[in-house]
Structure formats: structure tokens, C-alpha cells
Amino acid sequence: MLIEENIHEIQQGLSDNVKLIAVSKTRSVEEINEAYKAGVRDFGENKVQELVAKYDAFGNDVRWHLIGHLQRNKVKYIVGKVWLIHSLDSIELLKEVEKQYSKNNAIANVLIQINIGREDSKTGIKLEDLQGLIEECEKCSSVQVNGLMAIIPIGNEENCRNYFKEMKRIYDELSKKQYKNIIMDYLSMGMSSDYELAIEEGSNVIRVGEGIFGKRIYNNKQEEQ
Ligand SMILES: *Cc1c(COP(=O)(O)O)cnc(C)c1O
């Protein structure tokens, strides 16, 4: 019952405009079910194969979020299964998403992931490439951009706040523009250790894994992203 308690505790502190995504990577269907019973309907996975397997185990009232890096050759497996892709980070990926979704007469809802800390170890588009990606998004017919996502570098509170503030500034700036296919509804930032800070700085989508399910144990050489 710990999962349920964790969820209730987190939710009590959230205002209505903040969406909680339970990050269920590496977790069993039973664990996900416990979160489901506690009222969670949004689940985040970082691997396509795992997401698709879990998708099949649940009904349609669960919203799956792809929060990890998306490889171009995997896009075809997620059409119709993912409620929101958080990790659009290149024009090449955009083109594949457009191709696969238009083939299926579907609309891909995506967030642009920004590598706000400019870390080589992380995916996400660099700021100087953002405008180019936006222009390509405007040409699409099957892609809708709904906001931004970031995974910030590890750091102290002040560092974290600065990255969150920077993201909020970009988000607000884009909100004022009238781009085709692009609206700013979601700012996805904040994880177990820093979601409260993220919300204070303007996040409205938080992605919480260990804070709900407990410590993650990786087996078969699976790496944390
Ligand atoms: C794993 C993961 C999370 C959740 O991390 P926790 O520290 O378990 O809350 C959030 N976002 C992304 C992109 C992740 O891969």
C-alpha cells in the first residue's frame, strides 16, 4: 500500500493545474495497477518496447507518455499508443514522426525536449537549434507541439531553479508567438528529487518515479537515462 500512500501524499501538495505522471519504467504491471487504483491515469516510460508491452496490458483509459529518447526506427511502433511524446529533439526525428503518423491518419502530440544544461550525456535539442526545429514543425500536417520538456543537470537548489527559470522563460516567449501547430500547454519538468522546485518555477507536468514506486532496481544492464 506504500505506492498508494506516496501518490496521495504527492497529490495533496499539487494544485489542479499540475499533471502528475507516474514514471513506471522497470515496474511490473502489478505495481502500475496499484498506482492506477490510487487514481493515476498518466504513466511515463522511457523505452518503446516496454511501453508497448505495458500498453497491451492496460485499457484505453491509461495515458502513456514516452519520456525517454525516441529512436527513429522505433516511431512506427508507438503510433496510436502514446498520448504524449516528451522527447522530440531533432528535425530527423520530427520527419519520421510526421511520416509514420500521417501514414496512419493520426496526429502525434509532442513536447520539444530542450537540453537546457547543454550536457553531452543528455539528449534534447540545443537552444540554438530550437528555431530551426520550430520552423520544420510548422510545415507538418500530423504533428502537434504542445509544449516543452527538460531534464536538468544534477545540482544544488540554486542551479536547479536557474535551469527551471530558463525553461519557463523560453516557454513564455513561445507562448506569445503564433506558430502553426505549436501551442504551449505543457511545461514538463521536475522529477522525484526536485518537482516541488520545478512547480514553484512554473512546471505544470511532473514526472515522478522513485517518489511513487520506491527505489528502482535495474537489471540486465539496463542503464538509467
Ligand atoms: C526516470 C525518469 C524520471 C523519473 O525519475 P525519478 O527520479 O524516479 O523520479 C523522470 N523523467 C525522465 C525522463 C526519466 O527517465
Side-chain angles (χ1 to χ4, degrees), residues 23 25 46 67 149 151 191-192 207-210 216 225:
V23 176
K25 62 192 185 198
N46 65 341
I67 60 175
M149 182 272 225
I151 305 169
M191 325 206 305
S192 297
R207 311 178 306 264
V208 180
E210 296 196 332
R216 247 184 324 275
Q225 292 200 331

Side-chain angles (χ1 to χ4, degrees), residues 16 18 21 24 43-44 54 62 81 83 91 103 116 130 157 169 173:
D16 286 346
V18 178
I21 297 176
S24 49
F43 292 93
K54 288 172 178 172
V62 165
K81 299 190 173 176
W83 193 75
I91 291 173
K103 207 196 260 180
I116 195 69
L130 179 60
E157 179 177 333
R169 190 187 61 70
E173 211 168 272

